[in-house]
Amino acid sequence: MKRISTPRRTASLSAQLVDSLRAHIEAGGWPVGTRIPPEQALIEELGVGRSTLREALGALVHLGLLEARVGDGTYVRSSSELQSVMVRRASSAQRDNVLELRTVLEEYASGAAALRRSEDQLHQLKELLADADAACAGADVSAAESVDALFHRAVVRASGNDLLIEVYDYLGTALTSSLGGLPWDAANAEEHAGLHRRLVDAIEAQDESAARDAGGAIVRLTRDRPRT
């Protein structure tokens, strides 16, 4: 029987560089969507050879953190491997499956937030609710969508579940973007706003059941809207 090769005890220079660049990306040193410095600039800054740098960058492209664009350079695609995998998977999933997953996350997070939220977190939710109302009143769809995303992330953070917070942070963008292209009239907007107010009221009252119901109803409102 062939023996399993003994692992090397010292990581190669390229492996060390992968870890270093990955940590730099995760820390926001190169924000998502930006182009990283040219190859020669990185060689001079990092003090490594061209082949070592290319091997490390290739590994990060494979992991989904970077994207090489022919004739345009290399761009940061994602801030983490987990986020990259989740975004790709959610983007290829059926809409109903995406909505079911979002319902599970939103309902649980809403109930947990009602039980665990702090006064500061409750205050933040009320401020975001007011910001959302103002954006809707001004008919600023882009601003309303941005505030809505911040609101739901704040609910999840109030749940106090670190793993849930991490998963939602990675998956939230994919869940939202995969549900685009849906009509949104004044009646739907008002119902949407009313459900958010109901959710905040339940979280303030620390009513887990009511919070879960409101969180799920928000997602069902999206599910029941016909696609354009």
Side-chain angles (χ1 to χ4, degrees), residues 7-169:
R8 292 174 296 175
R9 299 187 182 278
T10 303
S12 66
L13 182 57
S14 62
Q16 294 178 54
L17 185 56
V18 168
D19 289 339
S20 177
L21 294 177
R22 179 166 48 193
H24 186 68
I25 292 171
E26 290 177 350
W30 292 337
V32 174
T34 61
R35 183 170 57 184
I36 70 172
E39 185 177 272
Q40 187 58 42
L42 288 174
I43 289 172
E44 294 174 1
E45 178 181 352
L46 299 170
V48 297
R50 192 176 303 277
S51 61
T52 298
L53 176 64
R54 288 181 174 176
E55 185 178 348
L57 294 180
L60 293 174
V61 168
H62 180 71
L63 291 172
L65 300 185
L66 297 178
E67 177 185 5
R69 302 178 186 176
V70 178
D72 191 27
T74 301
Y75 287 76
V76 180
R77 181 178 182 182
S78 175
S79 60
S80 77
E81 298 160 58
L82 181 58
Q83 182 183 40
S84 176
V85 171
M86 287 184 168
V87 167
R88 286 201 303 269
R89 184 64 187 91
S91 298
S92 64
Q94 294 181 2
R95 177 174 177 265
D96 286 345
N97 291 342
V98 173
L99 284 164
E100 285 182 9
L101 176 56
R102 184 170 182 180
T103 300
V104 170
L105 296 177
E106 298 282 0
E107 284 189 350
Y108 180 83
S110 297
L115 296 177
R116 302 170 185 164
R117 56 83 179 163
S118 67
E119 289 300 319
D120 285 344
Q121 288 168 332
L122 177 61
H123 180 69
Q124 181 187 23
L125 287 173
K126 289 182 175 181
E127 286 188 332
L128 289 170
L129 193 60
D131 290 343
D133 287 342
C136 288
D140 189 338
V141 177
S142 178
E145 289 178 347
S146 296
V147 175
D148 187 67
L150 290 173
F151 175 88
H152 286 283
R153 279 182 168 83
V155 171
V156 174
R157 292 185 182 281
S159 74
N161 184 319
D162 290 340
L163 183 57
L164 176 61
I165 293 168
E166 183 178 4
V167 169
Y168 193 88
D169 278 348

